[in-house]
């Protein structure tokens, strides 16, 4: 009774043993970039029943289910914005929308850069929401994205301040780069690990 964690049996029933990304939205728990039946499926989303994070087996009476994004996508983070859930991958940004009928959700790709990943999220713990847009660190700069722009835009004042940090960023510790948004001062706080000085 005093344990801080406990097993969810129905995740075993559907073969899920690990997930890189977890996000709650509209009473549903989403898992992204999952390991199922011993295989890592980086482009897969799995979600629970409504208002029941312990129910994961799809039935006629449950909205629990899954969706695969495009092959080659690697889900890195998810964050709500307005009435949608935005899903960030190494190759683009997807929008999940609640729909009626049997489908439950529709998924639309808002931005795609499959070749270079330009403008895409690179360090998943740097994604923050300001309430009207998302800000994050990509491989080639700091970007902002909202539902009214066709693609992520460089945040110039942030990029001017962070140029030296990003040029010397240790890319081998992706999980260690983190960010926080301070709404009172409207500031984006970054904690980055840089490569050690040589010579």
């Amino acid at each position: 009774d005093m344990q801080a964690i406990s097993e969810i049996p129905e995740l075993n029933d559907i073969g899920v043993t690990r997930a890189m990304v977890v996000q709650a939205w509209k009473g549903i728990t989403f898992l992204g970039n999952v390991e199922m039946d011993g295989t890592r499926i980086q482009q897969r989303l799995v979600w629970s029943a409504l208002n029941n994070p312990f129910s994961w087996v799809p039935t006629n009476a449950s909205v629990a289910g899954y969706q695969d994004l495009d092959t080659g996508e690697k889900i890195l983070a998810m964050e709500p914005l307005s009435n949608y859930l935005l899903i960030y991958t190494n190759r683009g940004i997807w929008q999940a929308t609640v729909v009626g009928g049997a489908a439950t959700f529709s998924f639309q790709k808002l931005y795609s850069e499959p070749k270079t990943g330009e403008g895409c999220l690179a360090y998943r713990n740097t994604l923050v929401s300001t309430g009207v847009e998302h800000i994050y660190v990509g491989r080639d700069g700091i970007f902002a994205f909202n539902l009214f722009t066709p693609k992520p835009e460089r945040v110039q004042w942030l990029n001017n301040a962070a140029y030296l940090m990003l040029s010397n960023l240790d890319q081998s510790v992706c999980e260690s780069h983190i960010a926080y948004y301070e709404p009172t001062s409207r500031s984006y706080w970054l904690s980055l690990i840089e490569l050690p000085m040589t010579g």
Side-chain angles (χ1 to χ4, degrees), residues 97-108:
T97 307
V98 176
V99 296
T104 308
F105 300 105
S106 69
F107 296 90
Q108 175 187 1

Side-chain angles (χ1 to χ4, degrees), residues 62-118:
S62 171
V63 300
Y66 76 92
Q67 173 73 38
D68 285 343
L69 305 182
D70 290 346
T71 301
E73 301 263 5
K74 178 181 180 181
I75 297 171
L76 297 175
M78 295 179 264
E79 186 70 32
L81 186 62
S82 184
N83 203 35
Y84 306 100
L85 179 67
L86 297 191
I87 303 153
Y88 288 80
T89 78
N90 61 325
R91 295 184 175 184
I93 304 170
W94 292 73
Q95 173 184 290
T97 307
V98 176
V99 296
T104 308
F105 300 105
S106 69
F107 296 90
Q108 175 187 1
K109 184 175 278 189
L110 301 180
Y111 173 73
S112 177
E113 182 42 72
K115 293 182 178 179
T116 66
E118 180 182 356

Side-chain angles (χ1 to χ4, degrees), residues 123 139 166-175 177 193 195:
Y123 308 102
R139 295 282 181 204
L166 294 178
S167 64
N168 199 40
L169 198 63
D170 188 345
Q171 298 182 12
S172 67
V173 289
C174 295
E175 301 293 315
H177 309 304
I193 297 178
L195 292 167

Side-chain angles (χ1 to χ4, degrees), residues 43-189:
Q43 75 274 18
R44 180 164 292 178
L45 284 168
V46 181
W47 57 87
S48 71
L50 180 64
N51 296 321
N52 189 350
F54 298 99
S55 177
W56 294 84
V57 177
T59 67
N60 291 335
S62 171
V63 300
Y66 76 92
Q67 173 73 38
D68 285 343
L69 305 182
D70 290 346
T71 301
E73 301 263 5
K74 178 181 180 181
I75 297 171
L76 297 175
M78 295 179 264
E79 186 70 32
L81 186 62
S82 184
N83 203 35
Y84 306 100
L85 179 67
L86 297 191
I87 303 153
Y88 288 80
T89 78
N90 61 325
R91 295 184 175 184
I93 304 170
W94 292 73
Q95 173 184 290
T97 307
V98 176
V99 296
T104 308
F105 300 105
S106 69
F107 296 90
Q108 175 187 1
K109 184 175 278 189
L110 301 180
Y111 173 73
S112 177
E113 182 42 72
K115 293 182 178 179
T116 66
E118 180 182 356
C120 296
L121 175 67
Y123 308 102
R124 68 190 191 97
N125 293 322
T126 65
L127 175 67
V128 301
S129 176
T130 69
V132 295
E133 65 183 356
H134 291 161
I135 300 175
Y136 59 88
V137 178
R139 295 282 181 204
D140 48 342
I142 301 176
F143 293 87
F145 183 76
N146 63 56
L147 299 171
F148 305 103
T149 54
K151 64 179 185 176
E153 298 179 346
R154 290 179 187 271
V155 184
Q156 199 57 52
W157 64 272
L158 284 173
N159 279 282
N160 288 341
Y163 173 77
L164 291 177
M165 288 187 293
L166 294 178
S167 64
N168 199 40
L169 198 63
D170 188 345
Q171 298 182 12
S172 67
V173 289
C174 295
E175 301 293 315
S176 298
H177 309 304
I178 59 174
Y180 168 73
Y181 179 70
E182 211 318 294
T184 303
S185 61
R186 299 180 65 187
S187 55
Y188 180 67
W189 294 60

